[in-house]
Amino acid sequence: PSWASAPTRKAWPRSRRAAQQAMPRTRPPLFNARKTHANRGNMTSLTLARPDDWHLHLRDGAMLRAVLPWTARDFARAIIMPNLMPPVVTGAQAAAYRDRIRAALPEGATFEPLMTLYLTEDTDPDDVAAAHASGLVKAIKLYPAGATTNSASGVTDFDAVRPTLERMAEIGLPLCVHGEVTDPDIDIFDREAVFIDRVLDPIRRATPGLRVVMEHITTSDAVDYARAQDDTLGATITTHHLVINRNHILAGGIKPHYYCLPVAKRETHRLALRNAATSGEARFFLGTDSAPHTDANKLLPCGCAGCFTAPNTLPILAQVFEEDGALDRLEAFTSRNGPAFYRLPVNTDTVTLTKGTPDLPTHIDTDEGPVTVFNPGFALHWRVT
Ligand code: DOR
Ligand code: ZN
């Protein structure tokens, strides 16, 4: 064959990775020069504005004391989930919980809990407005009744919460949404997509201006919906949903430590989440949904949902973004897009990640028993220094 007919490199089928990288993506400008070389391979150190966690379960009592130091080590602030038993429903309860969190902080830690209220059909719009005006509460959490852990007091009749949602739209207070229908006739893998059509979109249309965070999105349907909306809509993505798909839970034996809600979906959805998280687009930001349960409560015939990712989230994310050639967009995801949505300043202090094996436990001890740390299934090679 002559040279003219020999296949050129260009004509060869491209790998999926190469094809993805060639896809036009909107690349926001780099925020500062120090990460200009972030995607050229040999990065050994990366300094980010200190991250925030826009969805976190800290629990209470002994569990709070055991897990809080891990978040306070790497994060400046976190949106604190109100699904305690009983739930954090009123401003007074949120203030008391914030004080318990502050009291559980290690000496010298500067972590700031951003409190939320658990929306019920009895929520008083005036109490919500007062808790927001005082600066105490940064969001209201909507759990459809029965959707997940401690959600029994959540909402069944969405008309009953309309006055609160309207007041929130007026005052600019965001609604954080656990986006799954609870209808037993809907397959659990479809519950997020059906929620968008049946509940989320109708609520947003009926309440113009309401600022909504689609939390812990798990599907390409949610990514597509989020991308099609204006800037009143944000979406958080967890660490674990960037790493696992449903095979990790179910293939080769059942793995309770990978069971969380919304449950991880098929691989195409995980790839859509990776594309969204690493895109740098302002609407996507980190909410770990780090949700500690004791091993005793995970490893039951009816085990609890939740992955405990607070200790290793930053090393995992650095590796995920590095693998996808997007280290220069990690800071947008962990530290910039969330504050922009919540209209809060970006943290002025920083964290530095360096190449090297992190010194992380496989589980932590609590007075209630051990809690297993999420295992990403690959050896980590970034550590927080
Ligand atoms: O996996 C989860 N765990 N998803 C939730 O929505 C709740 C959380 C928890 O509180 O354990
Ligand atoms: Zn959660």
Side-chain angles (χ1 to χ4, degrees):
S2 74
W3 284 110
S5 65
T8 64
R9 220 187 130 70
K10 252 192 182 151
W12 292 350
R14 288 181 302 178
S15 71
R16 189 191 188 114
R17 164 81 53 82
Q20 269 173 1
Q21 282 173 349
M23 269 159 55
R25 297 212 279 199
T26 42
R27 249 179 184 272
L30 293 173
F31 290 107
N32 55 46
R34 68 177 187 258
K35 289 185 298 302
T36 308
H37 299 285
N39 290 323
R40 304 231 173 109
N42 311 316
M43 279 285 290
T44 54
S45 164
L46 179 63
T47 296
L48 309 172
R50 196 168 186 78
D52 302 302
D53 184 348
W54 300 98
H55 181 132
L56 176 67
H57 297 270
L58 284 178
R59 318 298 191 203
D60 216 339
M63 185 65 89
L64 167 65
R65 285 191 296 278
V67 301
L68 177 59
W70 290 100
T71 289
R73 196 193 54 167
D74 293 352
F75 296 88
R77 301 169 291 201
I79 285 277
I80 308 300
M81 286 297 116
N83 64 334
L84 305 182
M85 288 276 257
V88 179
V89 170
T90 64
Q93 289 167 335
Y97 186 30
R98 178 200 55 197
D99 294 346
R100 294 199 297 282
I101 295 168
R102 286 183 177 160
L105 275 171
E107 240 349 83
T110 54
F111 175 77
E112 188 187 351
L114 307 175
M115 306 310 291
T116 63
L117 299 182
Y118 188 122
L119 182 65
T120 75
E121 291 170 20
D122 297 323
T123 293
D124 173 3
D126 291 336
D127 181 52
V128 166
H132 173 248
S134 73
L136 168 68
V137 153
K138 297 291 187 264
I140 304 296
K141 173 74 188 225
L142 166 64
Y143 287 105
T148 187
T149 316
N150 301 345
S151 63
S153 322
V155 176
T156 307
D157 174 8
F158 286 90
D159 285 336
V161 298
R162 177 167 304 283
T164 301
L165 300 184
E166 281 168 2
R167 182 71 76 83
M168 289 168 62
E170 262 169 55
I171 63 181
L173 178 60
L175 180 71
C176 291
V177 178
H178 183 110
E180 287 188 288
V181 292
T182 54
D183 183 342
D185 293 340
I186 305 295
D187 188 282
I188 191 164
F189 292 103
D190 297 333
R191 287 181 182 184
E192 182 172 282
V194 173
F195 182 90
I196 293 169
D197 289 346
R198 285 196 194 164
V199 184
L200 178 63
D201 197 57
I203 286 180
R204 293 186 63 243
R205 284 176 196 278
T207 327
L210 180 65
R211 307 179 66 241
V212 172
V213 181
M214 298 173 75
E215 299 198 281
H216 43 53
I217 59 171
T218 59
T219 56
S220 60
D221 310 73
V223 169
D224 293 346
Y225 181 80
R227 280 189 165 136
Q229 310 307 309
D230 64 15
D231 64 5
T232 60
L233 191 88
T236 59
I237 303 177
T238 74
T239 314
H240 47 285
H241 288 116
L242 295 173
V243 174
I244 60 167
N245 63 33
R246 62 197 196 180
N247 283 9
H248 291 83
I249 312 169
L250 296 170
I254 192 157
K255 316 289 191 324
H257 290 302
Y258 289 145
Y259 173 61
C260 66
L261 287 171
V263 70
K265 310 296 192 296
R266 63 168 65 240
E267 177 66 357
T268 48
H269 294 295
R270 186 185 72 93
L271 293 175
L273 298 173
R274 293 260 302 221
N275 179 282
T278 59
S279 70
E281 289 165 53
R283 68 187 75 253
F284 298 113
F285 41 94
L286 173 64
T288 65
D289 200 10
S290 180
H293 293 279
T294 61
D295 288 353
N297 285 333
K298 291 288 292 176
L299 307 175
L300 284 174
C302 183
C304 293
C307 297
F308 178 51
T309 52
N312 55 6
T313 274
L314 293 188
I316 293 172
L317 290 179
Q319 211 155 320
V320 162
F321 277 64
E322 182 182 44
E323 242 175 71
D324 289 2
L327 267 182
D328 61 333
R329 278 168 273 172
L330 179 59
E331 188 181 61
F333 184 65
T334 60
S335 317
R336 293 191 174 268
N337 295 347
F341 183 87
Y342 277 93
R343 300 174 176 164
L344 292 169
V346 172
N347 299 307
T348 49
D349 54 342
T350 57
V351 296
T352 296
L353 288 142
T354 51
K355 271 280 168 70
T357 305
D359 185 16
L360 289 166
T362 55
H363 70 273
I364 64 161
D365 289 317
T366 80
D367 288 350
E368 296 173 17
V371 174
T372 294
V373 176
F374 175 73
N375 175 1
F378 48 80
L380 293 171
H381 61 225
W382 285 99
R383 59 198 168 97
V384 180
T385 47

